[in-house]
């Protein structure tokens, strides 16, 4: 069974002659306890082309010390990593293999570096004996595998204890710096070992000349691909908002293929776009149910108790379990599927050998601006159609289609912002406003459908349907408010002065 630990640490350069200063002079540190020496032996694994190292991930099998086993580390921020641990075994545990799958794909990880360390451990404690941080002086001997040069060095690590105040790290660093001890240039031991033995990961993709439309579009595409790859393990770990972020990256990428079809050949991108739509759909099952249930709970919490007639909360819970059950299993099955692996491979191939069209070699600003304005014209057509309809089912559908067009125009403008600057940023902000008001309207439409189903179920079970009808009425009011707000929001988004800067 894998467990996760948040690791907050800092590394410093040292030599065999480095002496630690008196760290009890650091605020909060009452004493420094010598905890003896540990002998550690760690073999680091990666693909032959070092895909994990390229993304600053480390995977190791370590013996010795108090945490022997398999360790997988994900960077969170500078000096902060999440370490997922699994028990010691001869082969890579399945739980960790899944977490690196978006990087390793069909490749088998192999030993790339062996590190043998002699670790002198010190505990920094406060005046009550509570552990604040662990400081270790590591003498490291690194060997490149399967065979190659070796190297050695000494370094100091200071790792924050669980629930300790992070300011203790600042206090200790101040004392170390005053003693002439400087921060390490390497983020991890394995990164240093690879660098010093001449085995660093190479850039994965080539890029066309920087001052072209192709380079700017591919930079945006690459950002979305990297997000999809990075969010795969986050979704598997069930991290907050990870499903939503991965879904958005799929949508942004698919939208870019359509918006910038003058730059990237749609004969190559359309099949990938279809697979991105599939993946976003698989991810959406759990996300949509979660959002809808939370909306209904919020509505229910806001009404007086005297208007809650019958076992309403129990009915909502049963309904949510029936609709949400198995959604996470379905998401994980999609990520483990051959279809998902094939999609990741197709994205790699796209970036390795991009299907650039003639316009890709042109100056970026005119090409990107033309794409944004074309998406805007598409949105304007849909908005005019929606506004011309009377309230009802057809108008609801038309407003939903308008929302999707607004999202595409927004994404196109966001992709163009590094090139077009403030005009594109302002344009994207207005498109987001249109998307938001229409999104709220669509949410009310979906909520009304769910509330009708809940009312029917309650009635069939002999329960009062009054509360569900009350909530349905509130959602009707919310939908009507969105319809009333839409013309004003669209008037601001369609103002001539908003488009004008993009045409120059």
């Amino acid at each position: 069974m894998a467990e996760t630990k948040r690791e907050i640490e800092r590394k410093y350069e040292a030599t065999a002659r480095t002496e630690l200063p008196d760290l009890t002079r650091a605020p909060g540190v009452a004493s420094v306890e010598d905890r003896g020496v540990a002998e550690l032996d760690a073999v680091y694994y990666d693909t032959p082309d070092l895909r994990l190292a390229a993304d600053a991930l480390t995977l190791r099998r370590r013996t010795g010390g108090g945490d022997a086993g398999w360790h997988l580390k994900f960077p969170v921020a500078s000096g902060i990593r999440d370490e997922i641990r699994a028990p010691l075994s001869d082969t890579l545990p399945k739980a960790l293999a899944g977490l690196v799958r978006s990087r390793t794909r069909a490749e088998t990880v192999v030993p790339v570096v062996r590190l043998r360390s002699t670790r002198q451990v010190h505990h920094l404690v406060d005046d009550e004996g509570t552990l604040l941080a662990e400081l270790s002086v590591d003498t490291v001997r690194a060997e490149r595998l399967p065979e190659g040069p070796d190297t050695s060095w000494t370094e100091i690590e200071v790792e924050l204890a669980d629930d300790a105040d992070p300011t203790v790290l600042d206090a200790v660093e101040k004392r170390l710096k005053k003693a002439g001890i400087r921060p390490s240039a390497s983020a991890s031991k394995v990164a240093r070992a690879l660098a010093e033995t001449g085995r660093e990961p190479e850039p994965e993709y080539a890029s066309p000349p920087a001052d072209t439309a192709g380079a700017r579009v591919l930079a945006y595409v690459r950002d979305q691909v990297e997000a999809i790859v990075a969010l795969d393990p986050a979704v598997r770990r069930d991290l907050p908002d990870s499903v939503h972020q991965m879904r958005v990256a799929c949508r942004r990428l698919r939208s870019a293929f359509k918006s910038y079809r003058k730059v990237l050949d749609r004969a190559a991108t359309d099949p990938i776009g279809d697979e991105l739509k599939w993946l976003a759909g698989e991810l959406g099952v759990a996300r949509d149910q979660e959002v809808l249930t939370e909306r209904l709970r919020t509505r229910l919490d806001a009404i007086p108790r005297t208007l809650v007639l019958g076992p309403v909360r129990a009915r909502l819970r049963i309904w949510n379990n029936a609709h949400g059950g198995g959604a996470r299993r379905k998401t994980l099955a999609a990520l483990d599927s051959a279809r998902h692996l094939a999609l990741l491979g197709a994205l790699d191939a796209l970036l390795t050998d991009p299907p650039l069209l003639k316009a890709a070699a042109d100056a970026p600003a005119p090409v990107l601006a033309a794409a944004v304005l074309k998406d805007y014209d598409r949105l304007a057509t849909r908005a005019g159609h929606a506004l011309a309809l009377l309230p009802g089912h057809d108008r609801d559908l038309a407003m939903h289609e308008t929302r999707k067009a607004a999202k595409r125009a927004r994404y196109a403008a966001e992709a163009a912002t590094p090139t077009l600057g403030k005009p594109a940023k302002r344009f994207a902000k207005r498109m987001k406003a249109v998307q938001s008001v229409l999104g709220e309207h669509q949410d009310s439409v979906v909520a009304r459908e769910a509330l009708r189903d809940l009312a029917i179920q309650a009635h069939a079970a002999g329960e009062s349907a009054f509360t569900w009808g009350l909530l349905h009425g509130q959602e009707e009011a919310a939908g009507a408010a969105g319809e009333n707000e839409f013309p004003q929001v669209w008037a601001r988004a369609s103002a001539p002065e908003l488009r004008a800067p993009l045409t120059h």
Side-chain angles (χ1 to χ4, degrees):
M1 194 68 162
E3 60 173 322
T4 301
K5 180 182 184 299
R6 177 61 57 87
E7 179 184 82
I8 303 175
E9 68 176 18
R10 298 182 187 180
K11 294 178 179 291
Y12 302 88
E13 301 286 352
T15 70
R17 296 184 299 275
T18 298
E19 293 185 6
L20 293 175
D22 180 6
L23 295 176
T24 60
R25 298 184 65 184
V29 179
S31 64
V32 179
E33 299 177 355
D34 187 340
R35 308 298 287 188
V37 176
E39 297 293 338
L40 309 176
D41 191 344
V43 175
Y44 287 77
Y45 288 74
D46 206 332
T47 58
D49 55 355
L50 303 179
R51 296 177 193 172
L52 301 184
D55 286 346
L57 274 66
T58 61
L59 173 64
R60 73 185 178 201
R61 180 185 184 275
R62 189 166 79 179
T63 57
D67 62 348
W70 287 89
H71 305 154
L72 172 61
K73 299 187 180 186
F74 287 94
V76 176
S78 178
I80 304 175
R81 294 186 292 183
D82 278 347
E83 181 178 272
I84 296 92
R85 299 174 176 177
L88 195 64
S89 61
D90 291 337
T91 58
L92 178 63
K94 184 177 179 181
L96 300 192
L99 293 176
V100 297
R101 192 167 184 257
S102 67
R103 270 92 171 185
T104 61
R105 315 291 167 76
E107 290 278 358
T108 300
V109 293
V110 296
V112 293
V113 166
R114 183 182 185 186
L115 299 181
R116 284 171 286 186
S117 304
T118 299
R119 169 167 289 182
Q120 177 69 52
V121 181
H122 306 270
H123 281 184
L124 312 184
V125 300
D126 64 13
D127 54 9
E128 295 181 353
T130 302
L131 180 64
L132 301 175
E134 180 176 285
L135 182 149
S136 63
V137 180
D138 293 349
T139 302
V140 184
R141 300 174 300 285
E143 175 189 1
R144 199 173 81 188
L145 300 175
E147 59 183 28
D150 55 21
T151 185
S152 61
W153 68 88
T154 301
E155 68 179 32
I156 296 170
E157 284 186 3
V158 185
E159 181 175 346
L160 190 70
D162 294 343
D163 302 321
D165 187 343
T167 59
V168 72
L169 296 181
D170 295 330
V172 170
E173 181 166 292
K174 186 176 180 179
R175 298 301 307 166
L176 293 175
K177 284 186 174 180
K178 194 168 184 180
I181 299 171
R182 298 291 174 243
S184 174
S186 296
S188 69
K189 286 184 174 67
V190 68
R192 180 168 183 168
L194 289 170
E196 292 189 6
T197 60
R199 186 93 196 283
E200 293 184 275
E202 297 180 1
E204 197 167 357
Y205 309 115
S207 296
D211 275 340
T212 62
R216 302 297 173 87
V217 172
L218 282 176
Y220 182 80
V221 168
R222 188 179 300 115
D223 286 345
Q224 308 317 312
V225 172
E226 289 175 352
I228 291 170
V229 170
L231 287 165
D232 178 301
V235 171
R236 293 173 188 271
R237 294 170 60 197
D238 203 19
L239 296 184
D241 206 37
S242 57
V243 169
H244 173 63
Q245 290 181 42
M246 190 173 183
R247 196 179 181 193
V248 168
C250 290
R251 287 173 168 171
R252 282 184 168 140
L253 185 51
R254 184 166 173 256
S255 182
F257 290 159
K258 293 179 178 179
S259 296
Y260 295 106
R261 56 190 177 274
K262 297 288 187 182
V263 175
L264 294 173
D265 188 352
R266 287 192 64 177
T269 61
D270 277 356
I272 299 176
D274 290 342
E275 293 305 284
L276 289 167
K277 182 179 181 180
W278 161 77
L279 180 57
E282 296 298 291
L283 294 167
V285 173
R287 170 69 181 177
D288 289 346
Q289 182 65 26
E290 177 186 333
V291 170
L292 176 57
T293 302
E294 183 58 31
R295 183 183 181 98
L296 298 184
R297 282 201 189 105
T298 301
R299 289 274 186 213
L300 187 56
D301 290 344
I303 64 175
R305 292 184 180 181
T306 54
L307 298 181
V308 180
L309 305 184
V312 175
R313 294 186 188 280
R315 170 65 53 194
L316 179 58
R317 189 162 52 250
I318 293 169
W319 172 84
N320 181 51
N321 290 339
H323 287 75
R328 176 156 173 80
R329 287 193 300 274
K330 185 177 181 182
T331 295
L332 294 178
L335 296 183
D336 283 333
S337 69
R339 188 173 182 178
H340 180 49
L341 275 187
L343 170 58
L344 294 177
L347 293 172
D348 275 347
L350 178 82
L351 290 173
T352 301
D353 186 19
L356 298 174
L357 298 175
K358 183 179 178 181
D362 294 343
V367 174
L368 271 60
V372 172
L373 292 176
K374 186 162 187 173
D375 278 348
Y376 170 84
D377 290 340
R378 176 173 171 271
L379 167 62
T381 299
R382 292 193 182 187
H385 174 63
L387 289 169
L389 295 172
L390 294 174
H393 177 70
D394 288 346
R395 191 178 195 188
D396 289 342
L397 290 178
M399 291 179 72
H400 183 46
E401 292 301 311
T402 305
R403 177 200 177 206
K404 290 192 286 187
K407 187 184 296 186
R408 179 163 147 184
R410 171 195 165 193
Y411 289 161
E414 287 175 347
T417 295
T419 299
L420 303 178
K422 289 184 179 179
K425 186 176 182 180
R426 185 164 51 249
F427 184 92
K429 185 177 180 180
R430 296 288 176 86
M431 296 304 105
K432 184 178 180 180
V434 174
Q435 177 191 334
S436 295
V437 71
L438 294 177
E440 176 63 22
H441 175 269
Q442 177 62 15
D443 288 348
S444 78
V445 171
V446 173
R448 275 176 265 164
E449 293 173 356
L451 288 165
R452 183 177 180 276
D453 288 343
L454 283 160
I456 291 171
Q457 292 173 17
H459 179 75
E463 302 163 7
S464 171
F466 171 81
T467 303
W468 304 119
L470 176 63
L471 296 180
H472 190 282
Q474 291 182 348
E475 289 293 354
E476 280 188 323
E483 291 189 40
N484 291 334
E485 186 181 359
F486 175 46
Q488 288 76 36
V489 174
W490 175 242
R492 291 192 293 273
S494 58
E497 60 268 21
L498 185 67
R499 296 184 61 204
L502 299 178
T503 61
H504 299 305

